[in-house]
Amino acid sequence: MSTVAGLVLAAGGGRRYGMPKALVEYEGSLLVERAVRTAQAVCDPVLVVLGARAVDVWRDARLDGALVVANRDWETGMASSLRTGLDGLRGLPGRVDAALVTLVDMPGMTPEALRAVAAHAAPDALAIATYDGVRGHPVLLGRDHWAGVAATATGDEGARRYLAAHDVTEVDCTGLADPTDLDVPPGGVASEP
């Protein structure tokens, strides 16, 4: 059986939201707490990448049992957080065969969707959730692909370019989770970038 680590990307500044989404309270808990708990229901270990206001998140969030790494280059975009997280997983004792990547700003993510994608885990695996035929999260990156993903990730694209160039198993998660991300506060208007 493959060891699957959860990788929660939570470093962004939330420019359009008006604050780092890791610190946004949603239905009684911070988004980062919710994302970590969801990942912990399926994965062990779970690593969370912090960046913007990392000290505040570290102080205010209950991340019990999660490993935390800081992305000093968080302002350059999601790609740097993905690289930071994969580097963190490489450095763990024991072997992690695959990383299940999820984002902090998707409060509708569920353990069921994570399990469906994690079921494809292997060192050479690439898998991605789809919702009504549209690719989303989580994304499963087998260890054999980590170097290639890190080398091609740029800006806010993360693994998109790498996945587009390789065979990827699409896992239908329609109805298992809500893939909507929170770009602006409820009832709010997106600010200009």
Side-chain angles (χ1 to χ4, degrees):
M1 188 160 99
S2 295
T3 301
V4 183
L7 180 52
V8 178
L9 303 183
R15 182 180 60 218
R16 288 176 291 173
Y17 200 92
M19 66 183 289
K21 294 179 196 172
L23 290 168
V24 171
E25 189 168 325
Y26 184 91
E27 294 183 357
S29 63
L30 297 180
L31 284 178
V32 70
E33 294 169 340
R34 184 181 188 99
V36 165
R37 279 194 313 269
T38 302
Q40 286 174 329
V42 177
C43 302
D44 183 25
V46 171
L47 186 142
V48 58
V49 180
L50 301 180
R53 293 182 51 193
V55 172
D56 293 335
V57 178
W58 178 263
R59 183 190 61 230
D60 296 343
R62 292 182 303 278
L63 302 175
D64 301 334
L67 305 167
V68 178
V69 295
N71 174 12
R72 289 178 174 33
D73 297 323
W74 64 268
E75 290 180 275
T76 65
M78 186 192 325
S80 64
S81 291
L82 182 57
R83 281 192 296 274
T84 298
L86 293 175
D87 284 346
L89 292 177
R90 271 191 207 95
L92 294 179
R95 181 172 170 88
V96 172
D97 295 309
L100 190 62
V101 182
T102 189
L103 306 178
V104 72
D105 64 352
M106 297 179 70
M109 186 51 59
T110 64
E112 292 76 20
L114 294 180
R115 270 189 210 97
V117 178
H120 298 271
D124 63 349
L126 287 174
I128 190 166
T130 63
Y131 302 88
D132 293 320
V134 178
R135 287 182 171 190
H137 282 85
V139 176
L140 181 77
L141 304 173
R143 185 182 191 94
D144 295 351
H145 296 282
W146 293 358
V149 168
T152 58
T154 58
D156 276 325
E157 279 193 358
R160 185 176 299 149
R161 186 177 303 178
Y162 188 85
L163 295 172
H166 292 80
D167 287 333
V168 179
T169 300
E170 293 188 346
V171 182
D172 185 7
C173 292
T174 306
L176 295 181
D178 179 352
T180 307
D181 61 351
L182 296 180
D183 277 339
V184 296
V189 177
S191 62
E192 292 298 315

